[in-house]
Amino acid sequence: MTAVAVAAVTAGLLWLFLAWSGEPTAPVRIDAVKTAFGVGAGAGGVFALWLATRRQRTLELQLAESTRVAGVTERDLEERRVTELYTKAVEQLGSDKAPVRFGGLYALERLGQDNPKQRQTIVNVLCAYLRMPFDGPKAGLKGTADLEPPDYDEAELLVRLAAQELLKTHLTHEEPGFWPGMAIDLQRATLVDFRLSGCTLAAADFSRAKFVGAVHIRGTTFTRRAGFFGAQFTSAVNFDRSVFEEGAFFTWARFGAFARFTRVRSGGRFELTRARFEGEADFEGGEHEDIDLTDARFPENE
């Protein structure tokens, strides 16, 4: 529309130029027409520049929108891929075949290693697997007689040991694959030859868990209050140099063998009320803001 108007004005000025060319006042009028032509040309140039700028801006907006849509699509595809991998790995954990369950464990680990936002969810799945009912060995693996046939599912025990090892690997602060800020929930879990030394956890709950075989939780930091309410330790347990920044509660816990709490530090209430020690207990070098041994039972008191 604007281009048509410019063409019409130009044609009109040209007509005036030709019409006035024979009159006495022609020179003045012709100069006026020339000036009008100059103004028109300048206006046309400004208009052309504005039009080019507008087109450029439109192209830039279209490109930005295309980039945004492509980014959203890519994120949607990535989230869908992660969801599919996660679902498949969890389904593998439910298989009745141990090799398939192994595959599910390590698929989850790879997923967590590549996707930090999924790590707590994957730790939750590993803990949920370990909380599933399991009639494990009566003692640790070192105490199992080689000649006697096991009275438990050996393949399932191996899968569980692998799950425990994955937790330790990614909770150990000196490991390259350390996952910071993780919380674990192993309430009522059956844990065999459990090791969690040198780890850092945001939170941990082992209430009513059963620890079969030796337990090593040495030099581990619990940044929140740790729970061991009613936990059963069938063999020796070692908490040497562990740090409980907000304290811990071992109320009603049962220690079936030697319990080492040497050089343990706790910044909150360290409760051992009604805990039962069937073997020796060593608290040497401990630093506790508040330790409570009310009604705790020791062998010499039996």
Side-chain angles (χ1 to χ4, degrees):
M1 244 348 243
T2 306
V4 173
V6 170
V9 170
T10 302
L13 291 173
L14 181 61
W15 178 82
L16 289 175
F17 176 80
L18 293 174
W20 295 339
S21 59
E23 297 183 8
T25 58
V28 175
R29 292 184 178 184
I30 290 174
D31 287 341
V33 170
K34 289 181 178 179
T35 301
F37 267 116
V39 172
V46 171
F47 171 75
L49 179 61
W50 172 82
L51 186 61
T53 303
R54 183 177 178 181
R55 287 177 178 173
Q56 179 65 26
R57 178 58 179 166
T58 300
L59 290 174
E60 290 176 355
L61 291 174
Q62 290 176 344
L63 179 60
E65 179 63 15
S66 299
T67 303
R68 186 191 68 81
V69 171
V72 170
T73 302
E74 184 176 353
R75 286 196 298 272
D76 288 344
L77 291 174
E78 178 62 19
E79 290 179 1
R80 186 179 304 173
R81 185 187 71 84
V82 169
T83 300
E84 290 175 353
L85 291 174
Y86 170 80
T87 302
K88 183 177 180 180
V90 171
E91 289 176 352
Q92 287 179 297
L93 285 180
S95 172
D96 58 352
K97 299 179 180 179
V100 178
R101 298 199 294 277
F102 273 115
L105 287 179
Y106 292 111
L108 283 173
E109 180 195 26
R110 288 195 302 272
L111 186 61
Q113 199 66 3
D114 296 336
N115 301 273
K117 291 182 179 180
Q118 302 296 325
R119 289 174 179 175
Q120 183 59 66
T121 300
I122 290 169
V123 168
N124 293 344
V125 172
L126 295 178
C127 290
Y129 187 85
L130 291 171
R131 290 199 304 270
M132 296 292 289
F134 174 59
D135 293 325
K138 300 298 185 290
L141 296 183
K142 293 181 180 179
T144 304
D146 295 333
L147 299 179
E148 296 181 4
D151 55 355
Y152 56 87
D153 187 340
E154 282 188 292
E156 173 61 9
L157 175 59
L158 293 176
V159 175
R160 286 172 168 266
L161 291 174
Q164 291 180 188
E165 189 62 24
L166 287 179
L167 285 177
K168 182 186 183 306
T169 296
H170 295 295
L171 295 175
T172 302
H173 45 247
E174 294 182 354
E175 289 287 339
F178 174 55
W179 295 355
M182 296 296 103
I184 60 175
D185 181 1
L186 290 169
Q187 298 180 72
R188 300 179 184 276
T190 297
L191 306 169
V192 180
D193 291 341
F194 191 69
R195 302 183 307 127
L196 205 64
S197 296
C199 296
T200 297
L201 299 89
D205 194 347
F206 296 94
S207 297
R208 300 188 185 281
K210 183 179 181 181
F211 294 86
V212 179
V215 177
H216 296 277
I217 307 180
R218 184 172 181 270
T220 292
T221 299
F222 299 87
T223 60
R224 300 178 195 165
R225 201 173 191 208
F228 291 86
F229 177 87
Q232 296 183 49
F233 300 90
T234 63
S235 300
V237 55
N238 185 1
F239 285 97
D240 179 58
R241 291 193 305 107
S242 286
V243 178
F244 299 87
E245 294 184 357
E246 295 185 359
F249 56 94
F250 290 84
T251 306
W252 290 106
R254 180 176 177 178
F255 299 88
F258 181 67
R260 183 186 296 277
F261 288 92
T262 53
R263 297 177 289 181
V264 165
R265 291 192 295 111
S266 62
R269 190 175 181 82
F270 198 76
E271 296 186 40
L272 287 157
T273 55
R274 297 181 177 84
R276 181 175 178 179
F277 294 87
E278 298 178 2
E280 294 183 11
D282 189 352
F283 294 90
E284 184 179 358
E287 300 177 14
H288 303 280
E289 182 177 301
D290 182 13
I291 186 169
D292 189 350
L293 290 164
T294 303
D295 295 328
R297 298 170 63 182
F298 295 90
E300 58 269 23
N301 299 331
E302 295 293 328

